[in-house]
Amino acid sequence: MNKNNISIVILAAGKGTRMKSNTPKVLHKICGKEMLYYSIREALKISDDVSVILGFESEKIKDSMLQHFNKYESDLNFFIQDLENYPGTGGALKSYTPKHNKILVLNGDMPLIQASELEEFLKQDSKITMSVINKPNTNGYGRVVIKNNEVQEIIEEKDANKEILSLSTLNAGIYCFNKEILDKYIPMLDNNNNQKEYYLTDVITLAKKDNVAIKPMFVEMQNYKGVNDKIDLSQAETIMCSRIKNKWLKEGVIMHLPDTIYIEDSVIFSGECIIESGVGIYGNSKIINSHIKQNSIIEDSIIEDSDIGPLAHIRPKCNIANTHIGNFVEVKKSELNGIKAGHLSYIGDSQIQEGSNVGAGFITCNYDGKSKHKTIIGKNVFIGSDVQAVAPLTIEDNSIIGAGSTIRSNVKSGELYLTKGEEIRKSGFFYKFFNKGE
Ligand code: UD1
Ligand code: CA
């Protein structure tokens, strides 16, 4: 996609009261990334002048966006809205100066919008184009009065009477303005409405009075959904997640019951992978030629030529290759290469090499109450069932650990290591203890 001669401004200064949260609305995440991330990402695809208007928690929002976009420094700007004196979507533009003569205004709470749709606005030749959704019986949007295919007025839900509320033409929240329109009408806005805010939507009413033609562009709710509360947030995430899954299905990933699978935006698949139902894959995970079985969770890890689960938990910073991980196995910050851990284990801060077998109930005791320690296990090590490895610990190649052992010191290559508890037997103890006759 080419960058156009267009400035894009994203309104993100509001608190988002309807979210009922201390987190600013645009920092709520969908599929692992903040809502605002998606709008900026799409805007940067088509513009070299993207600005974000901030107000509530501005530093926090700016910092989190710069973590994603620091390399776009010259194309991404931040402006601060004077929320006290000029609240509202119109007030947001009072502090803003664009670089180009055409300006696309986006609400920051529309994470589902895509660059290809934004480009549609640029094809229109009117001084003002605005997005309109046609959907009856829908709340949460301004109503657009349209006559002869021209917008006459936008009336906010809170200011609307019954007749206006029954209109099915909704303001989707994206507008394309010629610069002269904003220069003229933004200073003329007032806050004479039920919310005592400066509405951007009043620019339309003012321009109409001067006989400016305002073109409605009809768009689909699916991509223009505004997120105002936690219901909207969950619905937007469902849509985003299915886009992510469809992308990978097209790339050749097999998914069983994809509606039950959760995959975050930054996950990458390569080669042929099978993902079973109920699986969640988070963060910067990379899955290569692997099979992730039912109800397993993978977080920020690389899985290559391996099968995981069912019901396994791979926590962040694992690098797992040529390995079989079975049910109820939890792995954290470990490098596993060519091993088998089939059942009921905790493997943390470890490195285990090829040919080694981890028996059921193996646990790395990696934490001593103060710090974490490493467990290094070499090649072809056979670890029996119910073994605890008290880290820091090294178990060298070709060794055997007997079942039920607690390993407290390093094991040398070729050794059998075994700890045995003392065997205690008391004949008939059961009957005495429970007062039962024999
Ligand atoms: C807005 C529109 C409404 C439209 C809807 C579409 C106005 C007055 N209303 O309503 O017609 O149907 O979007 O989703 O524009 N913001 C600021 N500064 C502020 C207030 C808000 O930057 O002072 C930002 C918010 O952070 C948000 C965006 O503007 O990202 C929209 O604000 P919001 O309060 O969600 O507007 P709606 O009530 O949804
Ligand atoms: Ca909104």
Side-chain angles (χ1 to χ4, degrees):
M1 250 173 221
N2 292 327
K3 300 233 179 185
N4 302 267
N5 278 335
I6 175 126
S7 292
I8 299 184
V9 56
I10 304 171
L11 311 185
K15 182 169 187 282
T17 319
R18 288 166 280 182
M19 293 299 270
K20 297 196 168 57
S21 166
N22 291 329
T23 304
K25 174 158 79 172
V26 295
L27 288 191
H28 278 82
K29 289 187 175 177
I30 61 175
C31 297
K33 299 254 175 69
E34 303 82 2
M35 276 203 267
L36 185 58
Y37 159 85
Y38 295 99
S39 319
I40 298 178
R41 179 184 76 185
E42 296 303 301
L44 282 168
K45 286 182 186 169
I46 60 163
S47 168
D48 66 354
D49 180 38
V50 175
S51 301
V52 183
I53 311 290
L54 298 175
F56 178 73
E57 294 265 36
S58 56
E59 282 308 307
K60 195 172 173 184
I61 299 176
K62 187 175 169 185
D63 287 351
S64 77
M65 289 305 111
L66 285 177
Q67 280 180 15
H68 297 296
F69 299 109
N70 53 2
K71 61 175 186 277
Y72 293 96
E73 222 170 296
S74 59
D75 290 357
L76 182 61
N77 317 289
F78 296 91
F79 291 87
I80 303 291
Q81 178 180 357
D82 178 357
L83 277 174
E84 206 172 307
N85 295 307
Y86 297 108
T89 49
L93 290 187
K94 278 188 181 279
S95 60
Y96 167 65
T97 338
K99 179 166 142 188
H100 300 295
N101 282 325
K102 248 192 189 309
I103 298 118
L104 204 51
V105 181
L106 319 185
N107 284 351
D109 61 356
M110 300 176 59
L112 298 169
I113 191 72
Q114 290 173 309
S116 54
E117 288 152 341
L118 295 178
E119 277 192 318
E120 289 301 311
F121 287 87
L122 312 183
K123 294 179 188 155
Q124 318 297 325
D125 58 1
S126 75
K127 287 182 184 170
I128 307 178
T129 307
M130 63 165 290
S131 51
V132 180
I133 298 168
N134 196 343
K135 198 165 191 281
N137 309 318
T138 310
N139 293 325
Y141 293 82
R143 305 297 194 274
V144 187
V145 182
I146 299 175
K147 274 191 200 127
N148 305 325
N149 201 30
E150 273 187 24
V151 175
Q152 310 295 317
E153 203 181 355
I154 309 174
I155 298 162
E156 286 309 293
E157 201 164 77
K158 287 193 178 129
D159 304 309
N161 61 29
K162 234 179 157 187
E163 187 196 344
I164 294 290
L165 283 177
S166 70
L167 289 177
S168 61
T169 37
L170 315 172
N171 172 17
I174 296 192
Y175 323 79
C176 190
F177 296 105
N178 280 8
K179 185 167 181 296
E180 81 239 26
I181 296 284
L182 292 181
D183 287 347
K184 180 166 179 192
Y185 296 109
I186 291 287
M188 287 167 69
L189 293 177
D190 64 32
N191 62 350
N192 202 359
N193 52 55
N194 283 341
Q195 298 192 84
K196 296 277 166 280
E197 286 189 358
Y198 294 82
Y199 291 162
L200 175 60
T201 45
D202 285 347
V203 167
I204 307 286
T205 315
L206 291 171
K208 185 68 212 167
K209 280 187 188 147
D210 287 345
N211 285 323
V212 177
I214 300 150
K215 222 174 176 174
M217 207 174 96
F218 283 90
V219 298
E220 295 298 321
M221 172 74 103
Q222 173 90 349
N223 301 339
Y224 283 75
K225 188 176 175 50
V227 174
N228 294 319
D229 58 21
K230 300 268 170 74
I231 294 178
D232 293 329
L233 185 73
S234 69
Q235 291 171 346
E237 182 162 68
T238 303
I239 296 170
M240 184 66 79
C241 195
S242 75
R243 276 187 198 168
I244 294 169
K245 286 179 285 191
N246 285 342
K247 173 179 126 186
W248 291 115
L249 285 163
K250 276 187 194 145
E251 290 291 322
V253 173
I254 294 171
M255 292 186 201
H256 296 299
L257 301 182
D259 281 351
T260 65
I261 295 173
Y262 175 76
I263 297 174
E264 291 196 336
D265 179 70
S266 42
V267 172
I268 290 176
F269 295 89
S270 150
E272 190 154 34
C273 296
I274 303 175
I275 312 300
E276 293 189 5
S277 60
V279 165
I281 310 181
Y282 296 77
N284 292 313
S285 293
K286 191 166 181 188
I287 315 293
I288 308 150
N289 289 321
S290 292
H291 185 166
I292 315 296
K293 295 183 185 162
Q294 271 187 349
N295 297 316
S296 295
I297 294 174
I298 317 278
E299 302 172 82
D300 276 309
S301 289
I302 300 173
I303 314 288
E304 183 165 8
D305 298 319
S306 297
D307 68 284
I308 309 288
L311 293 153
H313 187 183
I314 310 300
R315 290 170 51 203
K317 296 190 181 158
C318 289
N319 208 325
I320 298 177
N322 300 304
T323 284
H324 161 69
I325 299 287
N327 44 197
F328 308 112
V329 174
E330 174 183 347
V331 189
K332 188 214 77 174
K333 207 176 174 185
S334 291
E335 211 170 295
L336 311 180
N337 187 6
I339 75 149
K340 287 189 181 131
H343 344 254
L344 292 161
S345 283
Y346 172 55
I347 301 172
D349 301 294
S350 304
Q351 192 188 324
I352 313 182
Q353 293 178 38
E354 64 263 30
S356 291
N357 185 87
V358 172
F362 171 71
I363 291 170
T364 52
C365 310
N366 59 328
Y367 184 52
D368 60 12
K370 289 183 183 164
S371 1
K372 303 277 166 69
H373 302 283
K374 283 200 86 169
T375 302
I376 312 282
I377 300 176
K379 295 177 186 162
N380 307 318
V381 174
F382 182 87
I383 301 175
S385 297
D386 186 27
V387 166
Q388 300 91 49
V390 183
L393 194 68
T394 301
I395 303 173
E396 293 180 6
D397 298 349
N398 306 320
S399 51
I400 298 176
I401 312 296
S405 298
T406 303
I407 320 171
R408 296 180 189 276
S409 59
N410 294 344
V411 177
K412 293 265 172 302
S413 181
E415 273 183 347
L416 163 70
Y417 180 102
L418 188 65
T419 58
K420 272 203 156 184
E422 194 190 341
E423 195 176 279
I424 295 170
R425 289 182 194 233
K426 289 187 182 170
S427 166
F429 181 84
F430 177 93
Y431 306 102
K432 275 182 235 156
F433 188 75
F434 289 113
N435 264 335
K436 286 185 183 163
E438 212 165 315

